[in-house]
Amino acid sequence: GAGVSQSPSNKVTEKGKDVELRCDPISGHTALYWYRQSLGQGLEFLIYFQGNSAPDKSGLPSDRFSAERTGGSVSTLTIQRTQQEDSAVYLCASIKRRTQETQYFGPGTRLLVL
Amino acid sequence: GDSVTQMEGPVTLSEEAFLTINCTYTATGYPSLFWYVQYPGEGLQLLLKATKADDKGSNKGFEATYRKETTSFHLEKGSVQVSDSAVYFCALSAAGIFGNEKLTFGTGTRLTIIP
Protein backbone atom coordinates (compact mmCIF):
# COMPACT_ATOMS: atom_id res chain seq x y z
CA GLY A 1 0.00 0.00 0.00
CA ALA A 2 0.96 3.64 -0.31
CA GLY A 3 0.18 4.74 3.25
CA VAL A 4 2.33 5.43 6.27
CA SER A 5 3.47 2.22 7.91
CA GLN A 6 4.71 1.68 11.44
CA SER A 7 6.31 -1.24 13.19
CA PRO A 8 5.88 -3.03 15.44
CA SER A 9 2.14 -2.68 15.80
CA ASN A 10 2.38 -3.70 19.45
CA LYS A 11 5.29 -3.74 21.86
CA VAL A 12 5.37 -4.97 25.42
CA THR A 13 8.52 -4.24 27.37
CA GLU A 14 9.78 -4.20 30.92
CA LYS A 15 10.48 -1.02 32.80
CA GLY A 16 14.04 0.11 32.23
CA LYS A 17 14.47 -1.47 28.80
CA ASP A 18 15.09 0.51 25.59
CA VAL A 19 12.65 0.35 22.68
CA GLU A 20 12.79 1.41 19.04
CA LEU A 21 9.73 2.30 17.01
CA ARG A 22 9.88 2.59 13.24
CA CYS A 23 7.99 4.75 10.77
CA ASP A 24 7.97 4.48 6.98
CA PRO A 25 6.40 7.62 5.53
CA ILE A 26 4.61 7.91 2.22
CA SER A 27 7.10 8.01 -0.61
CA GLY A 28 7.87 11.57 -1.67
CA HIS A 29 6.64 13.14 1.56
CA THR A 30 9.25 15.54 2.83
CA ALA A 31 8.04 16.15 6.36
CA LEU A 32 7.45 13.64 9.16
CA TYR A 33 5.90 13.98 12.62
CA TRP A 34 5.75 11.80 15.68
CA TYR A 35 2.85 12.12 18.10
CA ARG A 36 1.86 10.26 21.24
CA GLN A 37 -1.68 9.29 22.20
CA SER A 38 -2.09 8.49 25.86
CA LEU A 39 -4.99 8.32 28.26
CA GLY A 40 -3.71 11.05 30.49
CA GLN A 41 -2.37 13.51 27.92
CA GLY A 42 -4.46 12.95 24.80
CA LEU A 43 -2.72 13.42 21.46
CA GLU A 44 0.51 15.38 21.73
CA PHE A 45 3.27 16.38 19.35
CA LEU A 46 6.72 14.91 19.93
CA ILE A 47 9.10 15.75 17.08
CA TYR A 48 9.13 17.11 13.51
CA PHE A 49 11.48 16.42 10.61
CA GLN A 50 11.56 18.47 7.41
CA GLY A 51 13.93 17.38 4.68
CA ASN A 52 17.53 17.71 5.79
CA SER A 53 16.83 20.52 8.27
CA ALA A 54 17.47 20.15 11.97
CA PRO A 55 14.44 18.52 13.64
CA ASP A 56 12.12 20.38 15.97
CA LYS A 57 12.41 18.36 19.18
CA SER A 58 10.37 20.72 21.32
CA GLY A 59 7.68 18.13 22.10
CA LEU A 60 9.92 15.38 23.42
CA PRO A 61 8.95 14.83 27.09
CA SER A 62 12.40 13.95 28.40
CA ASP A 63 15.95 13.25 27.29
CA ARG A 64 15.14 9.54 27.30
CA PHE A 65 13.35 10.15 24.02
CA SER A 66 15.22 10.61 20.75
CA ALA A 67 14.47 10.22 17.08
CA GLU A 68 16.32 10.17 13.82
CA ARG A 69 15.38 10.15 10.20
CA THR A 70 17.79 8.49 7.81
CA GLY A 71 18.04 9.48 4.18
CA GLY A 72 15.04 11.73 4.50
CA SER A 73 12.74 8.74 4.68
CA VAL A 74 12.47 6.13 7.45
CA SER A 75 12.37 7.43 11.00
CA THR A 76 13.10 5.67 14.28
CA LEU A 77 11.85 6.86 17.66
CA THR A 78 13.93 5.50 20.54
CA ILE A 79 12.87 5.49 24.17
CA GLN A 80 15.63 4.65 26.63
CA ARG A 81 15.07 3.27 30.11
CA THR A 82 11.33 3.02 29.57
CA GLN A 83 8.95 3.99 32.36
CA GLN A 84 5.34 2.95 32.89
CA GLU A 85 4.17 6.45 31.99
CA ASP A 86 5.63 5.92 28.51
CA SER A 87 2.82 3.46 27.78
CA ALA A 88 0.85 4.96 24.91
CA VAL A 89 0.16 4.70 21.20
CA TYR A 90 2.92 6.33 19.19
CA LEU A 91 1.73 7.76 15.90
CA CYS A 92 3.71 8.82 12.89
CA ALA A 93 2.43 11.18 10.21
CA SER A 94 3.88 12.48 6.97
CA ILE A 95 3.02 15.31 4.60
CA LYS A 96 4.06 16.05 1.05
CA ARG A 97 4.79 19.71 1.60
CA ARG A 98 4.73 21.79 4.70
CA THR A 99 2.20 24.52 3.98
CA GLN A 100 -1.39 23.73 4.92
CA GLU A 101 -1.04 20.18 3.76
CA THR A 102 -2.90 17.21 5.18
CA GLN A 103 -0.96 15.00 7.56
CA TYR A 104 -1.41 11.29 6.84
CA PHE A 105 -1.17 9.08 9.88
CA GLY A 106 0.12 5.57 10.27
CA PRO A 107 -1.72 2.93 12.32
CA GLY A 108 0.48 3.53 15.35
CA THR A 109 2.58 1.42 17.67
CA ARG A 110 0.92 0.50 20.94
CA LEU A 111 3.59 0.44 23.65
CA LEU A 112 2.99 -1.16 27.03
CA VAL A 113 5.64 -0.83 29.70
CA LEU A 114 5.24 -3.32 32.54
CA GLY B 1 0.27 28.59 23.30
CA ASP B 2 -2.23 27.15 20.87
CA SER B 3 -5.08 25.09 22.24
CA VAL B 4 -8.27 23.34 21.18
CA THR B 5 -11.29 22.85 23.40
CA GLN B 6 -13.65 20.16 22.32
CA MET B 7 -17.02 19.04 23.58
CA GLU B 8 -16.57 16.28 26.08
CA GLY B 9 -18.07 12.92 25.36
CA PRO B 10 -19.20 10.34 25.16
CA VAL B 11 -22.10 11.23 22.89
CA THR B 12 -24.80 8.68 22.15
CA LEU B 13 -27.39 9.30 19.45
CA SER B 14 -30.03 7.34 17.61
CA GLU B 15 -29.60 6.68 13.92
CA GLU B 16 -30.74 9.58 11.70
CA ALA B 17 -30.35 12.10 14.53
CA PHE B 18 -28.66 15.46 14.02
CA LEU B 19 -25.11 15.70 15.28
CA THR B 20 -23.14 18.67 16.58
CA ILE B 21 -19.74 18.41 18.21
CA ASN B 22 -18.48 21.77 19.44
CA CYS B 23 -14.90 22.88 18.97
CA THR B 24 -13.28 26.20 19.84
CA TYR B 25 -9.66 27.17 19.55
CA THR B 26 -7.04 29.64 20.72
CA ALA B 27 -4.18 30.43 18.40
CA THR B 28 -1.91 33.23 17.32
CA GLY B 29 -1.93 33.98 13.64
CA TYR B 30 -4.15 32.20 11.17
CA PRO B 31 -4.38 28.48 11.85
CA SER B 32 -5.78 25.79 9.62
CA LEU B 33 -8.52 23.74 11.25
CA PHE B 34 -9.20 20.02 10.96
CA TRP B 35 -11.50 17.26 12.08
CA TYR B 36 -9.87 13.85 12.29
CA VAL B 37 -11.76 10.62 12.94
CA GLN B 38 -10.58 7.38 14.50
CA TYR B 39 -12.82 4.40 13.75
CA PRO B 40 -12.60 1.38 16.07
CA GLY B 41 -9.34 -0.46 15.52
CA GLU B 42 -8.15 1.97 12.87
CA GLY B 43 -5.74 4.89 12.63
CA LEU B 44 -6.46 8.60 12.50
CA GLN B 45 -8.00 9.77 9.27
CA LEU B 46 -8.65 13.28 8.06
CA LEU B 47 -12.38 13.90 7.89
CA LEU B 48 -12.38 17.51 6.70
CA LYS B 49 -10.41 20.72 6.92
CA ALA B 50 -10.62 24.47 6.39
CA THR B 51 -7.65 26.73 5.87
CA LYS B 52 -9.10 30.23 6.18
CA ALA B 53 -11.95 32.13 7.76
CA ASP B 54 -15.45 31.37 6.44
CA ASP B 55 -14.24 28.26 4.60
CA LYS B 56 -16.51 25.26 4.94
CA GLY B 57 -15.01 21.81 4.99
CA SER B 58 -17.23 18.88 4.09
CA ASN B 59 -16.93 15.14 3.64
CA LYS B 60 -19.19 12.09 4.05
CA GLY B 61 -22.12 14.33 4.98
CA PHE B 62 -20.15 16.08 7.73
CA GLU B 63 -19.59 19.83 7.62
CA ALA B 64 -17.69 22.41 9.64
CA THR B 65 -17.28 26.13 9.05
CA TYR B 66 -14.22 28.13 10.11
CA ARG B 67 -15.60 30.97 12.23
CA LYS B 68 -12.87 33.45 13.08
CA GLU B 69 -15.18 35.77 15.01
CA THR B 70 -16.16 33.03 17.44
CA THR B 71 -12.91 31.01 17.07
CA SER B 72 -14.99 27.92 16.42
CA PHE B 73 -15.09 24.95 14.05
CA HIS B 74 -18.13 22.94 15.07
CA LEU B 75 -18.74 19.59 13.37
CA GLU B 76 -22.26 18.85 12.12
CA LYS B 77 -24.08 16.10 10.32
CA GLY B 78 -27.75 16.11 9.48
CA SER B 79 -28.45 12.39 9.79
CA VAL B 80 -25.96 10.10 11.48
CA GLN B 81 -25.51 6.41 10.74
CA VAL B 82 -24.28 3.52 12.84
CA SER B 83 -21.11 3.54 10.72
CA ASP B 84 -20.31 7.05 12.05
CA SER B 85 -19.54 5.60 15.48
CA ALA B 86 -15.95 6.64 16.16
CA VAL B 87 -13.81 9.11 18.09
CA TYR B 88 -13.67 12.58 16.57
CA PHE B 89 -10.76 14.97 17.13
CA CYS B 90 -10.73 18.67 16.39
CA ALA B 91 -7.27 20.02 15.64
CA LEU B 92 -5.43 23.08 14.44
CA SER B 93 -2.10 23.74 12.83
CA ALA B 94 -0.22 26.98 12.59
CA ALA B 95 3.15 27.77 11.10
CA GLY B 96 5.90 27.46 13.67
CA ILE B 97 9.67 27.43 13.70
CA PHE B 98 11.35 25.63 10.81
CA GLY B 99 7.97 25.48 9.12
CA ASN B 100 6.65 23.07 11.73
CA GLU B 101 2.88 22.90 11.31
CA LYS B 102 2.32 20.47 14.13
CA LEU B 103 -1.24 19.56 14.96
CA THR B 104 -2.68 20.59 18.29
CA PHE B 105 -5.57 18.30 19.14
CA GLY B 106 -8.64 18.49 21.29
CA THR B 107 -9.33 15.69 23.74
CA GLY B 108 -11.56 13.77 21.36
CA THR B 109 -15.28 12.99 21.46
CA ARG B 110 -16.45 9.40 21.38
CA LEU B 111 -19.63 9.10 19.31
CA THR B 112 -21.88 6.05 19.46
CA ILE B 113 -24.86 5.68 17.16
CA ILE B 114 -27.63 3.33 18.19
CA PRO B 115 -29.74 1.65 15.49
Side-chain angles (χ1 to χ4, degrees):
Chain A
V4 178
S5 61
Q6 292 186 246
S7 60
S9 54
N10 290 281
K11 177 72 176 178
V12 181
T13 190
E14 293 179 349
K15 178 181 172 181
K17 300 280 190 181
D18 297 353
V19 295
E20 284 190 353
L21 312 179
R22 178 187 168 106
C23 171
D24 282 271
I26 294 172
S27 176
H29 281 198
T30 61
L32 185 149
Y33 295 81
W34 283 96
Y35 294 88
R36 179 169 70 172
Q37 186 175 20
S38 58
L39 281 177
Q41 302 297 324
L43 267 158
E44 53 183 347
F45 162 78
L46 296 178
I47 188 168
Y48 161 72
F49 295 91
Q50 168 61 46
N52 295 320
S53 302
D56 178 354
K57 306 179 184 179
S58 60
L60 294 178
S62 79
D63 58 9
R64 295 186 295 104
F65 288 72
S66 63
E68 63 178 18
R69 189 178 183 197
T70 54
S73 180
V74 172
S75 177
T76 302
L77 177 69
T78 301
I79 309 173
Q80 296 178 311
R81 305 181 302 282
T82 52
Q83 303 294 312
Q84 289 181 331
E85 61 263 28
D86 299 335
S87 297
V89 178
Y90 290 82
L91 297 170
C92 175
S94 70
I95 59 173
K96 189 173 185 179
R97 299 190 304 272
R98 65 185 186 196
T99 305
Q100 298 183 345
E101 281 292 314
T102 298
Q103 294 186 26
Y104 292 89
F105 282 82
T109 293
R110 186 175 298 275
L111 175 66
L112 177 61
V113 182
L114 300 176
Chain B
D2 298 344
S3 67
V4 175
T5 301
Q6 188 175 340
M7 187 170 91
E8 294 289 334
V11 174
T12 302
L13 295 172
S14 297
E15 204 166 20
E16 299 183 2
F18 184 85
L19 169 71
T20 299
I21 301 178
N22 290 334
C23 172
T24 57
Y25 67 91
T26 302
T28 54
Y30 304 95
S32 295
L33 302 175
F34 306 82
W35 278 99
Y36 277 84
V37 59
Q38 192 170 34
Y39 296 105
E42 298 185 16
L44 272 174
Q45 303 174 25
L46 178 70
L47 180 60
L48 53 85
K49 70 177 184 181
T51 57
K52 60 183 188 295
D54 299 324
D55 268 3
K56 178 186 284 188
S58 61
N59 186 26
K60 299 182 180 181
F62 291 89
E63 292 183 341
T65 301
Y66 189 142
R67 300 287 188 200
K68 188 165 183 279
E69 64 276 14
T70 54
T71 62
S72 65
F73 193 56
H74 305 320
L75 182 68
E76 297 183 335
K77 186 174 185 181
S79 176
V80 292
Q81 305 300 313
V82 172
S83 57
D84 295 327
S85 298
V87 181
Y88 292 80
F89 293 91
C90 185
L92 68 81
S93 73
I97 58 172
F98 309 119
N100 181 357
E101 297 188 347
K102 65 181 180 183
L103 289 165
T104 299
F105 288 91
T107 53
T109 301
R110 182 176 299 276
L111 174 66
T112 302
I113 307 301
I114 300 172

